[in-house]
Amino acid sequence: MPANIPPQAKAAEQRYINAKTLPEKIQYLQEFISSIPEHKGNEKMRGYLRRRLAKLKEEQDLQRRRKATGSGGGGFSIKKEGAAQIVILGTTGAGKSSILGSLTNAKVEVGDHLFATKEPAPGMLRYEDIQFQLLDTPAMFKGAYKGAAWGAQLLSLARNADGLLIVLDATDAVGQFNTIVKELTLAGITLDKRTRKIEIERSNGGGFQVACTGRILCGVDEIERVLKEAGVRNAIVRIWGDATKEDLMESLEQTRIYKPSLILINKADLVPNAPAEFEMATKRGAIGTSARLNRGLADVNKRLFESLGILRIYTKEVGGEPAKKPIIVKSGATVSDIAKIVHSQFFKQFKLARIWGSSVNYGGERVGSDHILEDKDIVEIRIK
Ligand SMILES: Nc1nc2c(ncn2[C@@H]2O[C@H](COP(=O)(O)OP(=O)(O)O)[C@@H](O)[C@H]2O)c(=O)[nH]1
Ligand SMILES: [Mg+2]
């Protein structure tokens, strides 16, 4: 914040940062904004804060509507099992339940009648040595984001998932896709990974950690202040290249969370060229499937794995065999990330690691803690 901010504005800012409830936040943010002098140097700041205020009001609106429809808002989740939880999304009759039934041994209800599926039914899908948990869900519908019927639960499931399997009916694939994307967007979920200068990953504890491969052109205390104003108390902030405080504010405003996804154009037996047409129209890849004829399903596990951007890492003790079960991490993970997961001791007293796998030139190569891993790497950690 510019230096010419009067003390009452600073006090208002502090009240806003400390506010616990949404109405309080809105009130104090309003006070904060009106206490900042209208001055050319403050324009960016005021603009940013006004947009935050609009966001908070929108959030309050959404909460009120959810209460009014009695659907209880978000927070709905199913216990995760396996390497990743995948939520199947699609409009009524697209073939979600049929797909789950064909891919897994889950007992599902397939029906022509509307809304046959009312509760998420889980099934496990194997890929080599790991399994994905697939959740069948009730139909996605126009206005789901407002929270009516099971809309709130459905979107809350999607938000908590590691990935989405979008099932479209080949007879109206593009139309259904647009409906789904619209609801997801309104609910703060995006299917597109953005390349950004700054990424803010919220965490449950641990305060702020800043991981730079670039520079932020403001002080660490300023980063913390901007984050706290946005209600973020614990986060890992990653910075690439030179980033300004404005870049930080911008990335905070993009509150949409990214979900990896795989798109199936089902009932391709009825419209065989639907997948190609879909790809032309949307510039997105899709797999043509037929749950009825059991076609196109063999690759779904592999394609899901690839779209999730995860790695399987096998740890090994000195002189021992690699672990049978892999540790699942996000691509880009380093040896140090593995050390943290295995034992804090491995992280604190890390000396070196030996790697067997595609991230090294030869089996048993010695690497440091910042070595970036690849799928199927075997890691042996040596401590001091
Ligand atoms: N022709 C054809 N019909 C299908 C296919 N998959 C599902 N269906 C039919 O579409 C209807 C709806 O399927 P269902 O799995 O209940 O859809 P959901 O509402 O998305 O769960 C059922 O009558 C299924 O038999 C398919 O690949 N081809
Ligand atoms: Mg169903």
Side-chain angles (χ1 to χ4, degrees):
M1 187 181 348
N4 58 351
I5 288 285
Q8 71 263 33
K10 284 197 174 144
E13 179 191 26
Q14 203 53 50
R15 276 198 297 276
Y16 163 57
I17 288 174
N18 293 337
K20 294 276 184 300
T21 66
L22 204 46
E24 265 176 16
K25 274 189 203 152
I26 290 172
Q27 190 197 326
Y28 294 141
L29 182 53
Q30 261 159 350
E31 288 176 17
F32 178 31
I33 294 170
S34 53
S35 64
I36 300 174
E38 277 185 51
H39 178 276
K40 200 136 180 51
N42 295 335
E43 258 168 30
K44 264 194 174 150
M45 186 76 186
R46 286 172 63 101
Y48 165 70
L49 293 172
R50 264 197 230 103
R51 287 192 296 279
R52 281 218 64 77
L53 182 62
K55 268 255 159 61
L56 290 176
K57 285 183 171 167
E58 217 172 83
E59 215 172 289
Q60 190 174 41
D61 251 28
L62 203 57
Q63 279 187 7
R64 283 199 186 123
R65 268 189 306 223
R66 277 175 185 162
K67 264 206 193 111
T69 53
S71 53
F76 189 80
S77 71
I78 301 260
K79 192 174 171 287
K80 288 189 182 183
E81 274 168 49
Q85 185 181 68
I86 311 297
V87 165
I88 304 177
L89 292 181
T91 53
T92 300
K96 299 179 295 297
S97 302
S98 306
I99 291 279
L100 180 73
S102 305
L103 286 175
T104 74
N105 54 5
K107 288 195 176 61
V108 290
E109 197 183 332
V110 174
D112 284 326
H113 56 295
L114 287 184
F115 309 138
T117 315
K118 291 274 162 61
E119 287 209 329
M124 301 305 287
L125 171 64
R126 176 169 290 283
Y127 172 61
E128 295 180 351
D129 58 350
I130 54 173
Q131 293 197 322
F132 303 121
Q133 180 190 40
L134 302 191
L135 297 183
D136 190 15
T137 62
M140 177 69 99
F141 55 94
K142 274 201 183 94
Y145 87 98
K146 288 182 190 154
W150 51 80
Q153 285 92 331
L154 183 58
L155 289 160
S156 160
L157 274 178
R159 201 171 293 115
N160 287 321
D162 299 306
L164 308 175
L165 185 64
I166 298 176
V167 178
L168 307 170
D169 186 322
T171 58
D172 179 28
V174 176
Q176 293 186 353
F177 183 68
N178 289 338
T179 300
I180 292 166
V181 166
K182 189 163 181 207
E183 294 305 317
L184 290 176
T185 305
L186 290 166
I189 299 168
T190 171
L191 304 178
D192 298 309
K193 202 173 199 166
R194 284 206 187 88
T195 42
R196 288 192 197 152
K197 278 188 171 175
I198 300 188
E199 185 184 282
I200 298 157
E201 187 182 324
R202 294 171 197 230
S203 51
N204 291 325
F208 297 110
Q209 276 174 273
V210 182
C212 300
T213 52
R215 287 186 304 161
I216 183 126
L217 307 172
C218 69
V220 172
D221 50 330
E222 254 186 308
I223 300 178
E224 290 205 12
R225 206 177 43 71
V226 172
L227 288 172
K228 279 186 184 154
E229 272 174 7
V232 181
R233 262 143 234 284
N234 301 291
I236 302 167
V237 183
R238 295 190 183 85
I239 301 160
W240 294 273
D242 284 353
T244 62
K245 195 170 75 182
E246 278 71 33
D247 291 326
L248 181 67
M249 289 173 176
E250 203 170 79
S251 56
L252 275 167
E253 286 181 270
Q254 290 165 351
T255 45
R256 262 177 221 146
I257 49 170
Y258 161 72
K259 288 290 159 190
S261 58
L262 183 66
I263 300 167
L264 305 186
I265 314 282
N266 191 44
K267 306 191 189 179
D269 50 300
L270 302 179
V271 193
N273 59 345
E277 278 172 8
F278 179 85
E279 290 189 3
M280 282 281 283
T282 64
K283 306 276 177 276
R284 287 170 193 272
I287 306 179
T289 63
S290 168
R292 177 159 289 171
L293 305 180
N294 204 14
R295 297 246 172 91
L297 296 165
D299 270 354
V300 171
N301 55 358
K302 182 164 182 279
R303 294 281 295 268
L304 254 182
F305 178 77
E306 288 163 359
S307 63
L308 284 169
I310 55 177
L311 312 173
R312 293 162 290 180
I313 306 298
Y314 305 84
T315 54
K316 123 183 214 324
E317 285 174 31
V318 179
E321 288 294 306
K324 289 260 171 327
K325 272 180 76 175
I327 295 175
I328 306 295
V329 288
K330 283 193 185 153
S331 62
T334 61
V335 166
S336 139
D337 293 321
I338 295 295
K340 264 182 231 164
I341 294 170
V342 177
H343 199 287
S344 62
Q345 207 93 34
F346 280 109
F347 178 63
K348 287 187 195 133
Q349 290 172 247
F350 182 87
K351 191 166 122 199
L352 62 91
R354 297 182 70 200
I355 311 282
W356 289 259
S358 51
S359 75
V360 286
N361 298 317
Y362 57 89
E365 192 176 324
R366 285 158 197 254
V367 299
S369 61
D370 57 359
H371 177 79
I372 294 170
L373 297 163
E374 281 174 26
D375 186 39
K376 289 187 171 174
D377 274 357
I378 297 168
V379 179
E380 179 188 285
I381 295 171
R382 304 272 179 97
I383 56 176
K384 286 176 192 144

